[in-house]
Amino acid sequence: MKAINIRLDAPFITQGCATRILRTIVELLLYHRGQIPFMYTTFRSMVRNLQLTDIDEDPFTASQLKKQRDQAKNVIHSAELVFDAIENIMQQHAVRVLMVLFGRTIYTAKEAFTIELPTVDEDHYGQYHQQSLEKIIRKIAMELTLSDEIVSGKGLMGSTNVFVLIQSAVTPSSGMDQLDGFQLPSKCAEFVIRLQMADTSENTAVKCCKLLEVYREQTDSSQEPEVRKDKETEETLNSWFLLETVVSGYQAKFVKGNNIWK
C-alpha cells in the first residue's frame, strides 16, 4: 500500500470542509486516472456548452459524434449524483473514510484509493471559515497533482468504471448497498490518501463560531451540524457501503477528422 500523507495547515475542519475535500479528491482522481480528458470543472463546463451539429452529408459521423456527446453528458450527470450523495451522507453521519475504486467491477478493481479524513469539529460552521477552506483545498490539489504515486499511473489504465464506497457505522441512506466482508482483489494496487491536521502547541479549542451567537441564530437549521447518533459504535462496527451510482470513464475520439468539441 502506498501512502500519500497531506498535512493541513489548520487546527480543525468543518463538516462542509470535509465534503469539499472529498469532492476535490474524487475530481482530481477522475482526471489523473484518465477517466475524463480535462480537469473536472473544465470538462463539466465544456460538456454543458456542447452544441449538437448535424452533419447531413455523413450520417455515420453525425451518429458517432452524438453518441460521444451523450456519453460525455452521462459522465457529468453520474459524477454530480455521486457528489450529491456524498454531501447528503456527510450531513447525517460521521463518515471519515471513503474509497474510490477503478475497474470494471468492485471485485476486479485495478486501483483503490482510500481517503482518510480528520475528525470533523462540530463546534464550527463552514460559512465562517471559507478562507481557511479554500487554502486547504488548494494545498490538497497541489499535493496530489505533484505526487509521484498519482502522476505515475496517469493514462495507464484506460477508461473504466469508477465506484465510490463509504465506511460507516450505520446504513447512510437509500441508494447504497452494504458490502459484508468486502476485500479488495489481491492484484489491486492500493493507495491511501491520509489527511492530517497540523500540530498545534496550544490545546485550547478555537471558539470563534461559539462567539457569533447573532449569526448562529440567523443560520438555517440545515446548515448546522446534525446530532450524530452513530458516534458510540463507529470505532467497532464500521462497514463498507457502495454507492449505486457508477461513473463510467470517457475518452473522446476523432471520427473522420471530427470531434465533439468543434
Side-chain angles (χ1 to χ4, degrees):
M1 178 183 294
K2 298 180 180 179
I4 304 168
N5 298 311
I6 302 177
R7 188 167 295 280
L8 307 179
D9 298 326
F12 59 85
I13 62 170
T14 66
Q15 180 268 321
C17 182
T19 302
R20 279 284 305 277
I21 286 173
L22 290 176
R23 177 175 182 134
T24 297
I25 294 176
V26 175
E27 288 180 358
L28 286 169
L29 289 177
L30 287 174
Y31 172 68
H32 284 296
R33 277 316 185 253
Q35 303 309 307
I36 53 177
F38 311 102
M39 292 294 288
Y40 183 79
T41 53
T42 300
F43 181 57
R44 181 180 59 185
S45 177
M46 294 175 70
V47 170
R48 289 178 175 175
N49 292 327
L50 280 174
Q51 299 295 324
L52 183 59
T53 303
D54 293 327
I55 305 178
D56 297 331
E57 64 275 13
D58 191 345
F60 172 78
T61 300
S63 174
Q64 292 301 305
L65 293 179
K66 181 181 183 303
K67 181 179 179 180
Q68 289 194 40
R69 291 187 182 94
D70 292 341
Q71 291 174 341
K73 291 178 179 178
N74 184 63
V75 172
I76 298 301
H77 177 70
S78 299
E80 291 298 323
L81 288 178
V82 168
F83 296 140
D84 288 344
I86 292 174
E87 182 175 0
N88 291 334
I89 293 167
M90 293 292 291
Q91 289 176 350
Q92 301 175 37
H93 304 286
V95 174
R96 292 186 58 191
V97 181
L98 179 143
M99 183 186 292
V100 183
L101 298 181
F102 294 85
R104 288 301 169 190
T105 72
I106 61 173
Y107 301 105
T108 58
K110 302 299 182 183
E111 288 187 335
F113 291 83
T114 301
I115 306 167
E116 297 180 358
L117 290 171
T119 301
V120 169
D121 191 325
E122 297 181 4
D123 290 332
H124 294 269
Y125 303 96
Q127 64 265 38
Y128 303 141
H129 296 280
Q130 287 300 312
Q131 186 174 359
S132 174
L133 169 59
E134 295 304 326
K135 182 179 179 181
I136 289 174
I137 294 300
R138 287 195 298 270
K139 179 168 186 179
I140 291 173
M142 181 64 69
E143 292 273 356
L144 291 181
T145 300
L146 297 178
S147 169
D148 291 337
E149 287 81 2
I150 299 293
V151 176
S152 62
K154 181 180 178 181
L156 298 179
M157 184 179 305
S159 59
T160 187
N161 292 325
V162 184
F163 304 88
V164 175
L165 289 74
I166 288 176
Q167 197 174 69
S168 177
V170 296
T171 304
S173 65
S174 60
M176 303 195 72
D177 296 322
Q178 184 171 357
L179 304 178
D180 296 325
F182 173 72
Q183 292 184 342
L184 291 171
S186 58
K187 294 183 179 181
C188 179
E190 298 181 54
F191 303 82
V192 57
I193 301 174
R194 188 174 294 115
L195 305 175
Q196 302 168 327
M197 307 313 301
D199 293 330
T200 57
S201 57
E202 298 182 0
N203 294 324
T204 56
V206 180
K207 300 181 179 180
C208 54
C209 290
K210 287 189 174 182
L211 297 177
L212 298 174
E213 296 295 337
V214 62
Y215 292 106
R216 293 185 64 183
E217 292 176 359
Q218 296 175 356
T219 301
D220 185 270
S221 60
S222 63
Q223 295 176 307
E224 297 183 4
E226 296 183 7
V227 176
R228 307 289 172 80
K229 298 180 180 180
D230 54 333
K231 279 187 175 180
E232 295 181 357
T233 59
E234 66 181 59
E235 294 297 329
T236 58
L237 299 179
N238 278 341
S239 299
W240 285 110
F241 293 86
L242 172 68
L243 268 68
E244 292 180 357
T245 302
V246 179
V247 180
S248 297
Y250 171 80
Q251 292 181 345
K253 300 178 182 178
F254 281 88
V255 182
K256 295 185 178 180
N258 297 279
N259 64 43
I260 67 172
W261 310 119
K262 289 185 177 181

